[in-house]
Amino acid sequence: MRFFVLMLTALSTACVVQGGAAVTGDGNAADSELVSKLKKRLEQLESRVDRMGLSGGGAASAKASAPAQVGGQLRIAVTEPNTLNDILDVRDWYSVLMGRRMMEGLVDWDPRSMKLYGLLAERWEVSADQKIVTFYLRKNVKWHDGESFDADDVVFTWNALFNPSYTTSKVRTDFKDAEKLEKIDQYTVRVTWKEVFFNAVGVMDALAIMPEHVFAKDKTDFNKHPYHRAPIGTGSYQFGAWKTGDHILLKRNKNYWGKNLSDPPFVYPKPSIDEIKFIVISEAEVRLQAFKRGDLDYTSLTPDQFAVNEDTFRSDPSIGISQYALPSYSYAVWNGRRPQLKDKRVRIALAYAMNRDAVIEHVYRGAYKRITGPFLPESDAYNHDLKPREFDLVKSAELFKEAGWTRNPKGKLVNAEDKPFKFEMLLPASSKTGIAIATIYKKDLSRLGIDMEIKTIEWATFLKSLNDHDFDFAMLGWRLGYVTDPYGLWHSTEATTGSNYHGLDNKRMDELVTTIRGTMDATKRDELCKEVHKIVYDEQPYLFISRPAAKVAYRKYLKNFQPLPIMTVNDPRGWWIDQAERKRVLGK
């Protein structure tokens, strides 16, 4: 699954992938080579967590002997999403965070063991030629409205995904080589692939199943259907309310079909928290004050907030602090459709003009690390032969001159027609760190005679600008999933409606990402990914800024709170609230 946060911000890359069992698969089955690699990534990230000082009730409370208490309301600050159904192109990280508590796919990944397990599908079988996957669905599963789940719902969801009039193109990319899905009987479906795809089983986690009967009763246009704001799912939480601009409320599904399952590999069958209230607060400072008042149960901290508040929080016995590396990267994307940005020498010159070491030192307080490409440095796909481009305005000016841009008598960088080089940097309005980075960059660009305008807009408008390609330069982040397929990011066919926001059109890249999808050997995929990395480095469609680290403050009455390498702190299914301790701390 691909995630899109202020990040469009796991451990594995496209090249460290699931390649199902040769003949059969069930909750415990997974390709041994894949699992070995994923566990290696897990250990590496956990080591980073330890080195960065995981403290408080996180890891310790995970070992607490006290039984989980049922009840309470978890309060989390979020940026308001466009939808709660992540099949739609307007989805973002918050759509996934909330929607997947209500909606479920046929399979899912255990964030602790990194293994693939059956969710709505109890088990599966893979043909010897790897092109046919048969899923055996769970029986006695109920939708939140009491109706029964069966194969017709899977068929309906599949058909919706492939309906060209529906805005589902980004998820559709994951299934580009699928030939068909057939209903075999009421509880069996079969997916046939035109080509071998390394992730033919695991990719089904990208498709949250929708109830056919809801859409049969309400014929509203699919793209505008009320279901997307109030999903009826099969998950352990169900929709409660959405008060626009204020909060979204989920309630524990007391009739959850998985509540009586306890054997591995089923994950978190019995959530303990009664309600999850996602409070709409975009600004980091407002979130911090809400946490201090006791209105939030945990909050992420900016580097500046952490520096100012660390001592106070550590001296408060009711507050814990967790720090850990994130499976993501921050970057800014150049719109290669803009005439002045088509020349890669210009994009490389602009890369030399950003002082990323200064950004990391002054904006991120030294907590982030430099990267050169779209894979995590600890992954086998990362090309360590590629060194970061250092801040060098002289080198930048030389490249601009090679590309036909020189300083005029007024000191402005212009082309042969005396047209000045200027562009706009687009940011979400709530990203204070992004604005700080943009301010540093703007100052250094002015030394080259370049005018850069900083434009901030609301999150929903920001996403629309990306999808409409209405930007020059946009700063965001990408969070990697358990298994990530680079096709949607870099193939030229994804430049219109997919996630190729730069518009990269490179023949060798197209060949590589296509070959990766059909390569079952993980080691070979890693080598192909290193070449993908090299092309990205040479073409500079992105200006890679850093590998982030998270700093989180939380109330210790929140038990079993611990970072997970992929979902970090965004999967509360294993948490519970000590009600008595909470009342002592907050007085309410």
Side-chain angles (χ1 to χ4, degrees):
M1 182 185 294
R2 292 170 307 196
F3 299 122
F4 190 14
V5 184
L6 147 107
M7 276 171 90
L8 260 177
T9 176
L11 186 48
S12 61
T13 67
C15 315
V16 182
V17 292
Q18 190 268 341
V23 180
T24 65
D26 56 25
N28 288 304
D31 179 84
S32 59
E33 181 181 18
L34 171 75
V35 172
S36 175
K37 283 180 172 287
L38 288 180
K39 284 184 175 179
K40 177 183 176 183
R41 306 292 189 276
L42 176 61
E43 290 166 359
Q44 289 168 333
L45 272 186
E46 286 179 336
S47 174
R48 284 172 175 260
V49 168
D50 292 338
R51 292 198 303 271
M52 297 182 72
L54 176 62
S55 64
S61 67
K63 301 174 183 177
S65 58
Q69 298 174 14
V70 175
Q73 183 186 82
L74 176 66
R75 300 156 307 161
I76 304 173
V78 298
T79 297
E80 191 162 28
N82 291 305
T83 180
L84 295 179
N85 187 356
D86 62 52
I87 196 175
L88 299 179
D89 289 344
V90 294
R91 68 181 181 163
D92 60 13
W93 170 244
Y94 301 103
S95 304
V96 176
L97 171 62
M98 298 177 226
R100 288 307 181 100
R101 303 285 73 79
M102 297 176 282
M103 303 173 68
E104 298 177 311
L106 298 189
V107 299
D108 200 0
W109 294 88
D110 182 339
R112 300 165 301 182
S113 69
M114 315 293 277
K115 289 185 179 181
L116 190 68
Y117 68 97
L119 197 53
L120 290 177
E122 189 170 28
R123 61 189 180 89
W124 60 84
E125 294 177 355
V126 181
S127 64
D129 66 359
Q130 303 287 328
K131 292 184 179 181
I132 299 174
V133 185
T134 303
F135 293 95
Y136 298 93
L137 309 181
R138 294 186 188 272
K139 301 176 182 178
N140 302 316
V141 173
K142 299 291 185 181
W143 294 99
H144 293 155
D145 61 3
E147 295 291 326
S148 296
F149 158 81
D150 63 18
D152 290 334
D153 299 307
V154 181
V155 172
F156 167 77
T157 303
W158 185 272
N159 290 339
L161 175 67
F162 283 95
N163 189 320
S165 66
Y166 295 173
T167 57
T168 58
S169 61
K170 286 184 170 58
V171 178
R172 195 182 304 150
T173 296
D174 294 336
F175 296 87
K176 62 173 285 297
D177 293 322
E179 181 177 321
K180 59 183 177 180
L181 180 144
E182 305 168 274
K183 174 184 174 182
I184 306 304
D185 58 39
Q186 187 177 4
Y187 294 105
T188 310
V189 296
R190 179 176 296 152
V191 180
T192 302
W193 293 82
K194 292 178 285 188
E195 307 288 344
V196 170
F197 179 30
F198 69 82
N199 198 30
V201 176
V203 72
M204 297 302 291
D205 84 321
L207 192 60
I209 306 302
M210 298 179 289
E212 180 191 34
H213 66 275
V214 170
F215 292 86
K217 292 176 183 176
D218 185 342
K219 300 292 186 180
T220 303
D221 173 62
F222 180 85
N223 296 329
K224 301 177 182 178
H225 202 284
Y227 176 88
H228 306 315
R229 282 182 61 92
I232 294 172
T234 57
S236 54
Y237 283 89
Q238 59 192 56
F239 180 79
W242 185 343
K243 185 177 180 181
T244 302
D246 190 84
H247 73 273
I248 295 170
L249 182 68
L250 307 187
K251 297 183 177 182
R252 184 167 58 90
N253 178 10
K254 297 179 181 179
N255 298 313
Y256 182 47
W257 61 269
K259 66 181 180 179
N260 294 320
L261 297 180
S262 59
D263 295 334
F266 199 76
V267 181
Y268 303 139
K270 300 176 183 178
S272 300
I273 297 172
D274 269 346
E275 295 182 346
I276 306 177
K277 187 176 184 180
F278 297 95
I279 303 171
V280 177
I281 308 176
S282 297
E283 298 78 13
E285 188 56 35
V286 179
R287 291 184 181 189
L288 176 60
Q289 295 308 317
F291 175 76
K292 289 180 176 181
R293 289 194 307 270
D295 296 336
L296 296 175
D297 297 310
Y298 75 88
T299 186
S300 58
L301 302 170
T302 67
D304 282 343
Q305 288 175 336
F306 184 79
V308 171
N309 292 279
E310 180 183 8
D311 290 343
T312 301
F313 286 165
R314 290 197 186 279
S315 65
D316 187 332
S318 73
I319 295 176
I321 293 177
S322 288
Q323 304 178 72
Y324 47 90
L326 287 170
S328 58
Y329 53 82
S330 60
Y331 71 102
V333 55
W334 300 106
N335 187 349
R337 303 165 188 82
R338 297 289 198 255
Q340 74 270 31
L341 297 172
K342 286 183 177 293
D343 191 328
K344 71 177 182 180
R345 292 173 298 181
V346 167
R347 299 193 297 272
I348 294 173
L350 289 164
Y352 277 115
M354 176 174 275
N355 191 342
R356 279 160 283 192
D357 289 335
V359 165
I360 289 171
E361 179 181 357
H362 299 296
V363 179
Y364 293 129
R365 300 277 184 149
Y368 289 20
K369 304 297 181 184
R370 289 285 305 271
I371 58 168
T372 61
F375 306 113
L376 298 184
E378 64 267 24
S379 78
D380 292 334
Y382 193 88
N383 192 333
H384 289 279
D385 292 336
L386 306 174
K387 303 306 178 186
R389 290 187 171 95
E390 303 301 334
F391 177 59
D392 189 337
L393 293 182
V394 173
K395 181 66 173 176
S396 179
E398 291 173 353
L399 285 168
F400 273 120
K401 186 175 182 179
E402 286 180 20
W405 295 88
T406 56
R407 304 284 286 270
N408 68 9
K410 295 181 179 180
K412 296 297 184 182
L413 191 69
V414 297
N415 62 12
E417 290 76 39
D418 203 37
K419 182 178 179 179
F421 193 100
K422 59 182 180 179
F423 65 93
E424 183 179 84
M425 185 172 186
L426 195 64
L427 294 161
S430 61
S431 177
K432 303 305 180 186
T433 54
I435 293 170
I437 292 170
T439 302
I440 293 172
Y441 195 32
K442 177 182 177 71
K443 181 179 179 180
D444 287 325
L445 287 172
S446 69
R447 295 166 63 186
L448 291 169
I450 296 172
D451 291 325
M452 185 187 84
E453 178 185 350
I454 301 171
K455 181 179 180 181
T456 61
I457 56 178
E458 293 306 311
W459 178 242
T461 308
F462 180 84
L463 291 182
K464 186 176 188 303
S465 297
L466 282 176
N467 287 324
D468 293 345
H469 308 136
D470 184 20
F471 68 95
D472 297 330
F473 184 51
M475 184 176 173
L476 57 158
W478 192 265
R479 183 181 292 268
L480 295 154
Y482 292 94
V483 176
T484 306
D485 178 2
Y487 188 97
L489 287 178
W490 305 117
H491 198 282
S492 60
T493 59
E494 298 303 306
T496 302
T497 59
S499 298
N500 182 356
Y501 297 109
H502 169 78
L504 183 68
D505 186 358
N506 182 288
K507 182 178 179 181
R508 178 56 183 160
M509 178 68 84
D510 286 354
E511 293 172 351
L512 283 169
V513 295
T514 300
T515 302
I516 286 168
R517 286 178 65 93
T519 300
M520 301 301 292
D521 184 278
T523 301
K524 291 180 179 178
R525 287 195 301 273
D526 288 334
E527 293 307 309
L528 293 170
C529 279
K530 286 184 173 69
E531 190 175 348
V532 168
H533 189 164
K534 179 66 163 59
I535 293 174
V536 171
Y537 183 85
D538 290 341
E539 293 290 330
Q540 280 295 297
Y542 290 177
L543 196 163
F544 288 94
I545 299 171
S546 64
R547 162 76 180 283
K551 300 174 186 293
V552 176
Y554 62 94
R555 296 289 179 178
K556 289 184 180 178
Y557 57 68
L558 192 57
K559 304 300 182 181
N560 216 21
F561 180 95
Q562 56 183 320
L564 296 168
I566 308 305
M567 294 298 291
T568 60
V569 296
N570 295 300
D571 192 341
R573 288 175 290 180
W575 305 352
W576 59 277
I577 296 171
D578 187 319
Q579 306 285 358
E581 184 178 339
R582 179 176 185 165
K583 188 172 183 179
R584 286 196 303 271
V585 171
L586 301 181
K588 56 184 177 180

